[in-house]
Amino acid sequence: MPVQAKIGPSILNADLSNLAAESQKLLDNGADYLHLDVMDGTFVPNLTFGHPMVKSLRNKIKTAFFETHMMVQNPEQWIEPMADAGVNLYTFHVEPVQDVVRVSRKVQESGMKVGLAIKPGTEVQDLEKYLSIADVVLVMTVEPGFGGQSFMADMMPKVKWLRENYPNLDIEVDGGVGPKTIHCCAEAGANMIVSGTAVVGASDQSQVIKELRDVVHSYLK
Ligand code: DX5
Ligand code: ZN
């Protein structure tokens, strides 16, 4: 099936004390899914939230598609709790994982889709041996850890390579993506767009989400 344009706002820089309302607002404004940034203070130098918070959010928001972006040292540890919390797509970084295939299988056995993420310093070809098992590949366009950083355009060759070789793969970009950088991502072949500050901080979220989706759509064959 051909890939579709999907916009997944990152709630990292939203008012986390008001997460359910902030998330619902993004969905009402046209978000296709929610990108939930989980950080453990070890894999990245920052700390956010874990499965109890995701489960509470799921209790308030029953049907939306949830992706957790696991910026954690031991993603295997959180598979079951996140599946139980109602996560749909479990995206983890391959860098600290010894047996990516085994962890991916566990994710799928627990009923979630598998996303494989790479940091800017990781070669995209390192993922090739796992692409038959991955549902999504996430190419980071900033160093993971913080919202509001500048987009790294030099990551686009990774996206291009993936799109050229895997026309039906869901390719996600994350970090510094907004109306100014979306053309670059869409042209390279990204179809799943994470956008934090550019969407959450917008005075008209629905307009920005629509703009991002329209640009991606215009490049999809
Ligand atoms: C960074 C996170 C991103 C971040 C995106 O480590 O993975 O999801 O929140 O935020 P912006 O779009 O502001 O860079
Ligand atoms: Zn993220």
Side-chain angles (χ1 to χ4, degrees):
M1 201 171 97
V3 298
Q4 294 177 335
K6 289 180 193 155
I7 311 303
S10 156
I11 47 74
L12 183 59
N13 282 17
D15 175 3
L16 293 179
S17 72
N18 215 358
L19 185 57
E22 294 266 347
S23 300
Q24 192 58 55
K25 184 176 161 198
L26 289 161
L27 293 163
D28 292 345
N29 282 323
D32 297 293
Y33 65 103
L34 292 178
H35 177 91
L36 305 168
D37 287 302
V38 175
M39 305 186 190
D40 68 351
T42 301
F43 180 68
V44 289
N46 200 5
L47 193 62
T48 55
F49 50 80
H51 54 92
M53 186 122 147
V54 177
K55 192 167 187 174
S56 300
L57 187 62
R58 178 54 91 198
N59 283 335
K60 292 262 174 72
I61 297 181
K62 304 285 184 199
T63 58
F65 190 93
F66 284 4
E67 173 186 32
T68 46
H69 177 191
M70 304 302 295
M71 288 164 274
V72 302
Q73 196 61 29
N74 184 11
E76 191 170 359
Q77 189 175 352
W78 311 112
I79 293 172
E80 281 308 323
M82 284 300 187
D84 177 62
V87 169
N88 304 97
L89 168 61
Y90 190 86
T91 298
F92 64 94
H93 278 266
V94 298
E95 291 88 358
V97 176
Q98 282 203 343
D99 192 340
V100 171
V101 172
R102 196 171 61 85
V103 175
S104 299
R105 289 221 177 91
K106 273 186 103 166
V107 171
Q108 287 173 334
E109 280 161 18
S110 75
M112 300 183 288
K113 288 181 184 287
V114 175
L116 298 180
I118 50 171
K119 297 206 281 188
T122 304
E123 297 292 333
V124 69
Q125 285 81 4
D126 291 359
L127 284 179
E128 196 163 19
K129 50 188 174 295
Y130 312 127
L131 288 181
S132 58
I133 201 166
D135 297 295
V136 175
V137 167
L138 166 55
V139 175
M140 288 303 296
T141 45
V142 297
E143 280 301 335
F146 301 90
Q149 302 183 80
S150 297
F151 177 75
M152 298 168 71
D154 53 341
M155 295 300 115
M156 291 305 99
K158 296 185 188 179
V159 176
K160 255 190 199 129
W161 183 86
L162 285 167
R163 182 54 73 221
E164 277 166 17
N165 290 286
Y166 301 90
N168 297 323
L169 180 67
D170 277 317
I171 305 172
E172 186 177 46
V173 285
D174 179 15
V177 181
K180 291 198 184 95
T181 51
I182 188 65
H183 285 270
C184 192
C185 301
E187 189 180 18
N191 67 298
M192 288 178 67
I193 308 299
V194 178
S195 182
T197 43
V199 168
V200 170
S203 55
D204 186 345
Q205 290 185 348
S206 66
Q207 196 275 326
V208 176
I209 290 171
K210 181 177 182 309
E211 182 180 349
L212 297 176
R213 190 186 296 107
D214 286 350
V215 173
V216 176
H217 198 71
S218 73
Y219 283 95
L220 289 176
K221 293 199 184 100

